[in-house]
Amino acid sequence: CINANAKYCGECIQAGAKCGWCEQEDFLKQGESVSTRCDELQSLLERGCNLTKIQNPVGKQKIIMNKPVTNRKKVTGDETNKPKPEEITQIQPQKLSLRLRSGEPQSFDLKFKRAEDYPIDLYYLMDLSYSMKDDLENVKNLGTSLMLEMKKITSDFRIGFGSFVEKTVMPYISTTPSKLLNPCTGDQNCTSPFSYKNVLSLTSDGNMFNSLVGKQHISGNLDSPEGGFDAIMQVAVCGEQIGWRNVTRLLVFSTDAGFHFAGDGKLGGIVLPNDGKCHLENNIYTMSHYYDYPSIAHLVQKLSDNNIQTIFAVTEEFQPVYQELKNLIPKSAVGTLSANSSNVINLIIDAYNSLSSEVILENSKLPEGVTIAYTSQCKNGVVSEGENGRKCSNISIGDEVKFSISVTSKGCPNQGKPETIKIKPLGFTEEVEITLNFICECECQKKGIKNSPDCHSNGTFECGACKCYEGRVGRQCECSSNDVATEDMDRTCRKDNGTDICSNNGDCVCGTCECKKRPNPEERYSGQFCECDNFNCDRSGNKLCGGHGRCECRVCICEPTWTGTACDCSMDNSTCLATNKQLCNGRGICECGICKCTDPKFQGPTCETCPTCPGVCAEHKLCVQCRAFGTGEKMKTCKEECSYFNLIKVKDRDKLPQPNDYPYPVMHCKERDANDCWFYYTYAVNNTEKEVHVVDKLDCPSGPDIIPIVAGVVAGIVLIGLALLLIWKLLMIIHDRREFAKFEKEKMNAKWDTGENPIYKSAVTTVVNPKYEGKC
């Protein structure tokens, strides 16, 4: 707000929604410029401005017309009870007024509900070039058939018919007299070429449609693209001739060819751009030879302005072309037309259902500096923002959707004059009218005193300050802008007749210093010569005035309970009270809320800690054990109970702090755990922090050497086994020798009988050959 450099209240409130203007006359300090009256509200209050003297206007909204959406059911039977189209409401509210302040958005909710049995006007625009000959035969009975189908959707349906061919100049058609009468070849009987003809205005008589369309004849042209854009433009802008009502308007565009667009008319010597106006005489477009084809953007504008939804019924060959065209024209659809248009009714029904199931909001042109944002709340809780926030899809008849719309202005658009914008769903005639009123001035400006004596009659005194006339400067408009930079005036801006004007922190305006602004709006120069500031005071803890005071003219003004040059000395002794309710435990003095212990044995914030007193080691044993080694009785509650000291691990006992290493006492401890392992640590208090150095390895008693014992046992078992085996072997040898000796002895003493054995038989048998005579 300060950087806006606002010279009066109106400029200030336009700088941002959080900016306020202090109109209190004695608000400014010496050296502060008028623009410092503009600041954020909290800052103004802190600087001493009375809340009732702060100008901070806020925007508001007022709903002027708010008819509820219509809950209408389809009417059958008595047609006289049908409501008129203008009596049906699908959008709410209908009219409201917004009072906008710069940077402050005003939001409102818009409801949309598709009414059942909503009237429909459908205009069938058909290409009657020769290639559509067979299609025309099927369209001749379209009226009554389409009426029957559309009656299922709405009880109030009207249908119209128009046709087009091409511009009636070369090279689009042949201009020879015979071809102008009958452009077709051979014995084909064709009607004269034309650009666009309104055959039947919108009517509820389907038989009349069939009758008039049945009298139509095919025509012809030379080139392949047709002049359909001329026809669409005339259908859109000739509302009276076509008979459009303020209901759902459908335009069915049926063709089997491409289209000419803006610029193509030059081929026929037509250079004037299409004027977007109606030129129907006797229901025939008469200016096709004079105006070029309309551009796509021009068509989009006119179709949107007249709330017409377009259905392109084209053959499969030209589907890609018209799909691209559909992407450029909001609320349009493309259907594939069969070769002879036999499926046109189903095509129209499907396209209508597709178009009507989606609502897209659009707004009129916004004034410069005004922005609008949409948030949609569609079916099934789907919420979208940005461009998608403008639309909801898959809406059925009777469904209600809501849009949150936020309008924001910047500055003072259109010099504060009221503006009107409109928001409407594409393809629908209903709209929301919004009147925008801009807050460009403060209420106090209306009470301004012109030629005020307080401004030396050279300005208007308003909102606590002078608003000088052109050519006048100074806080009280006391000087002419031509006389500002004079030596006499500069002299009064030098402190102690020095050389620096306004201490190099400001400008000399009309003999008075106006201090410069800092990039940080919280930092300010002040004083008669801008010699003071609120940011160059002593700091403590990297905070200005220790965060316990304010800086005035480079001196800290401390809060009641703080003192010192940087407000870093607390006068509150409660922080020095020990648990025994004595100041510093009776062993020190309290200075600036911090104990300074007089007994060297005691330390800590209240002089209650004695690191070298007996029992310290046992007191901290369990916590050191659980934090250093993860063991002990406090292992599960270690984080909660043992986080009161800083733990530092060392490799061995030689690395532990020694008594003479530090200016504060260090207690050496040796404790044993449940496994008879010793651990060593030191405990000390450094200012308010407790430090524990611990050897990271336990000193456990060495156990028996298992490997030699096992080896000895195994070796002993083996040796004993070998000894037993040898003894057994020796005993067996002795036993065998004794037995052998005994045998020998018995053998020597034995007396054997020499007689023959009676049962003995000789093993030799002698056989004599009887034939042997003993001769050789």
Side-chain angles (χ1 to χ4, degrees), residues 608-622:
E608 293 181 274
T609 304
C610 181
T612 57
C613 295
V616 171
C617 293
E619 179 184 351
H620 303 293
K621 168 189 172 182
L622 295 177

PDB file of all heavy atoms in Angstrom, residues 608-622:
ATOM      1  N   GLU A 608      21.238 -24.992  40.101  1.00  0.00           N
ATOM      2  CA  GLU A 608      20.854 -26.186  40.864  1.00  0.00           C
ATOM      3  C   GLU A 608      21.627 -27.420  40.436  1.00  0.00           C
ATOM      4  O   GLU A 608      21.550 -28.460  41.090  1.00  0.00           O
ATOM      5  CB  GLU A 608      19.350 -26.457  40.693  1.00  0.00           C
ATOM      6  CG  GLU A 608      18.457 -25.411  41.315  1.00  0.00           C
ATOM      7  CD  GLU A 608      16.980 -25.738  41.149  1.00  0.00           C
ATOM      8  OE1 GLU A 608      16.417 -25.366  40.094  1.00  0.00           O
ATOM      9  OE2 GLU A 608      16.407 -26.375  42.051  1.00  0.00           O
ATOM     10  N   THR A 609      22.386 -27.325  39.373  1.00  0.00           N
ATOM     11  CA  THR A 609      23.101 -28.487  38.853  1.00  0.00           C
ATOM     12  C   THR A 609      24.516 -28.494  39.408  1.00  0.00           C
ATOM     13  O   THR A 609      25.250 -27.500  39.303  1.00  0.00           O
ATOM     14  CB  THR A 609      23.149 -28.448  37.322  1.00  0.00           C
ATOM     15  OG1 THR A 609      21.818 -28.356  36.828  1.00  0.00           O
ATOM     16  CG2 THR A 609      23.819 -29.695  36.770  1.00  0.00           C
ATOM     17  N   CYS A 610      24.889 -29.644  39.975  1.00  0.00           N
ATOM     18  CA  CYS A 610      26.247 -29.796  40.511  1.00  0.00           C
ATOM     19  C   CYS A 610      26.865 -31.045  39.899  1.00  0.00           C
ATOM     20  O   CYS A 610      26.672 -32.162  40.394  1.00  0.00           O
ATOM     21  CB  CYS A 610      26.199 -29.911  42.038  1.00  0.00           C
ATOM     22  SG  CYS A 610      27.843 -30.079  42.797  1.00  0.00           S
ATOM     23  N   PRO A 611      27.616 -30.891  38.805  1.00  0.00           N
ATOM     24  CA  PRO A 611      28.139 -32.073  38.101  1.00  0.00           C
ATOM     25  C   PRO A 611      29.119 -32.894  38.922  1.00  0.00           C
ATOM     26  O   PRO A 611      29.275 -34.088  38.694  1.00  0.00           O
ATOM     27  CB  PRO A 611      28.819 -31.471  36.868  1.00  0.00           C
ATOM     28  CG  PRO A 611      28.271 -30.096  36.743  1.00  0.00           C
ATOM     29  CD  PRO A 611      27.956 -29.651  38.122  1.00  0.00           C
ATOM     30  N   THR A 612      29.838 -32.251  39.885  1.00  0.00           N
ATOM     31  CA  THR A 612      30.880 -32.973  40.627  1.00  0.00           C
ATOM     32  C   THR A 612      30.413 -33.434  42.000  1.00  0.00           C
ATOM     33  O   THR A 612      31.207 -33.968  42.762  1.00  0.00           O
ATOM     34  CB  THR A 612      32.116 -32.063  40.782  1.00  0.00           C
ATOM     35  OG1 THR A 612      31.723 -30.849  41.441  1.00  0.00           O
ATOM     36  CG2 THR A 612      32.701 -31.730  39.427  1.00  0.00           C
ATOM     37  N   CYS A 613      29.164 -33.211  42.286  1.00  0.00           N
ATOM     38  CA  CYS A 613      28.644 -33.663  43.589  1.00  0.00           C
ATOM     39  C   CYS A 613      28.421 -35.174  43.568  1.00  0.00           C
ATOM     40  O   CYS A 613      28.137 -35.766  42.513  1.00  0.00           O
ATOM     41  CB  CYS A 613      27.339 -32.948  43.918  1.00  0.00           C
ATOM     42  SG  CYS A 613      27.545 -31.163  44.163  1.00  0.00           S
ATOM     43  N   PRO A 614      28.563 -35.811  44.777  1.00  0.00           N
ATOM     44  CA  PRO A 614      28.338 -37.271  44.841  1.00  0.00           C
ATOM     45  C   PRO A 614      26.933 -37.643  44.357  1.00  0.00           C
ATOM     46  O   PRO A 614      25.985 -36.917  44.602  1.00  0.00           O
ATOM     47  CB  PRO A 614      28.522 -37.571  46.330  1.00  0.00           C
ATOM     48  CG  PRO A 614      29.330 -36.431  46.872  1.00  0.00           C
ATOM     49  CD  PRO A 614      28.962 -35.238  46.075  1.00  0.00           C
ATOM     50  N   GLY A 615      26.845 -38.815  43.717  1.00  0.00           N
ATOM     51  CA  GLY A 615      25.558 -39.305  43.249  1.00  0.00           C
ATOM     52  C   GLY A 615      25.206 -38.914  41.832  1.00  0.00           C
ATOM     53  O   GLY A 615      24.198 -39.380  41.299  1.00  0.00           O
ATOM     54  N   VAL A 616      26.005 -38.075  41.191  1.00  0.00           N
ATOM     55  CA  VAL A 616      25.701 -37.639  39.821  1.00  0.00           C
ATOM     56  C   VAL A 616      25.780 -38.809  38.859  1.00  0.00           C
ATOM     57  O   VAL A 616      24.935 -38.977  37.971  1.00  0.00           O
ATOM     58  CB  VAL A 616      26.637 -36.493  39.397  1.00  0.00           C
ATOM     59  CG1 VAL A 616      26.478 -36.197  37.913  1.00  0.00           C
ATOM     60  CG2 VAL A 616      26.366 -35.255  40.218  1.00  0.00           C
ATOM     61  N   CYS A 617      26.817 -39.637  39.031  1.00  0.00           N
ATOM     62  CA  CYS A 617      27.010 -40.767  38.102  1.00  0.00           C
ATOM     63  C   CYS A 617      25.837 -41.754  38.175  1.00  0.00           C
ATOM     64  O   CYS A 617      25.319 -42.196  37.147  1.00  0.00           O
ATOM     65  CB  CYS A 617      28.319 -41.476  38.412  1.00  0.00           C
ATOM     66  SG  CYS A 617      29.784 -40.460  38.070  1.00  0.00           S
ATOM     67  N   ALA A 618      25.453 -42.084  39.404  1.00  0.00           N
ATOM     68  CA  ALA A 618      24.347 -43.031  39.558  1.00  0.00           C
ATOM     69  C   ALA A 618      23.041 -42.456  39.034  1.00  0.00           C
ATOM     70  O   ALA A 618      22.189 -43.168  38.504  1.00  0.00           O
ATOM     71  CB  ALA A 618      24.216 -43.426  41.029  1.00  0.00           C
ATOM     72  N   GLU A 619      22.880 -41.124  39.164  1.00  0.00           N
ATOM     73  CA  GLU A 619      21.644 -40.475  38.727  1.00  0.00           C
ATOM     74  C   GLU A 619      21.440 -40.595  37.217  1.00  0.00           C
ATOM     75  O   GLU A 619      20.319 -40.776  36.752  1.00  0.00           O
ATOM     76  CB  GLU A 619      21.666 -39.002  39.135  1.00  0.00           C
ATOM     77  CG  GLU A 619      20.435 -38.230  38.711  1.00  0.00           C
ATOM     78  CD  GLU A 619      20.544 -36.740  39.061  1.00  0.00           C
ATOM     79  OE1 GLU A 619      21.502 -36.367  39.772  1.00  0.00           O
ATOM     80  OE2 GLU A 619      19.665 -35.973  38.610  1.00  0.00           O
ATOM     81  N   HIS A 620      22.528 -40.500  36.469  1.00  0.00           N
ATOM     82  CA  HIS A 620      22.420 -40.480  35.007  1.00  0.00           C
ATOM     83  C   HIS A 620      22.803 -41.805  34.354  1.00  0.00           C
ATOM     84  O   HIS A 620      22.789 -41.896  33.117  1.00  0.00           O
ATOM     85  CB  HIS A 620      23.313 -39.368  34.440  1.00  0.00           C
ATOM     86  CG  HIS A 620      23.002 -38.008  34.988  1.00  0.00           C
ATOM     87  ND1 HIS A 620      21.836 -37.345  34.730  1.00  0.00           N
ATOM     88  CD2 HIS A 620      23.712 -37.206  35.847  1.00  0.00           C
ATOM     89  CE1 HIS A 620      21.831 -36.172  35.366  1.00  0.00           C
ATOM     90  NE2 HIS A 620      22.955 -36.072  36.058  1.00  0.00           N
ATOM     91  N   LYS A 621      23.129 -42.804  35.177  1.00  0.00           N
ATOM     92  CA  LYS A 621      23.615 -44.086  34.653  1.00  0.00           C
ATOM     93  C   LYS A 621      22.635 -44.714  33.651  1.00  0.00           C
ATOM     94  O   LYS A 621      23.004 -45.069  32.525  1.00  0.00           O
ATOM     95  CB  LYS A 621      23.877 -45.044  35.815  1.00  0.00           C
ATOM     96  CG  LYS A 621      24.119 -46.495  35.380  1.00  0.00           C
ATOM     97  CD  LYS A 621      24.168 -47.444  36.558  1.00  0.00           C
ATOM     98  CE  LYS A 621      24.206 -48.895  36.093  1.00  0.00           C
ATOM     99  NZ  LYS A 621      24.195 -49.827  37.238  1.00  0.00           N
ATOM    100  N   LEU A 622      21.377 -44.876  34.049  1.00  0.00           N
ATOM    101  CA  LEU A 622      20.412 -45.590  33.207  1.00  0.00           C
ATOM    102  C   LEU A 622      20.157 -44.869  31.881  1.00  0.00           C
ATOM    103  O   LEU A 622      19.980 -45.505  30.833  1.00  0.00           O
ATOM    104  CB  LEU A 622      19.100 -45.790  33.963  1.00  0.00           C
ATOM    105  CG  LEU A 622      19.177 -46.699  35.194  1.00  0.00           C
ATOM    106  CD1 LEU A 622      17.827 -46.760  35.899  1.00  0.00           C
ATOM    107  CD2 LEU A 622      19.628 -48.101  34.798  1.00  0.00           C
TER     108      LEU A 622
END
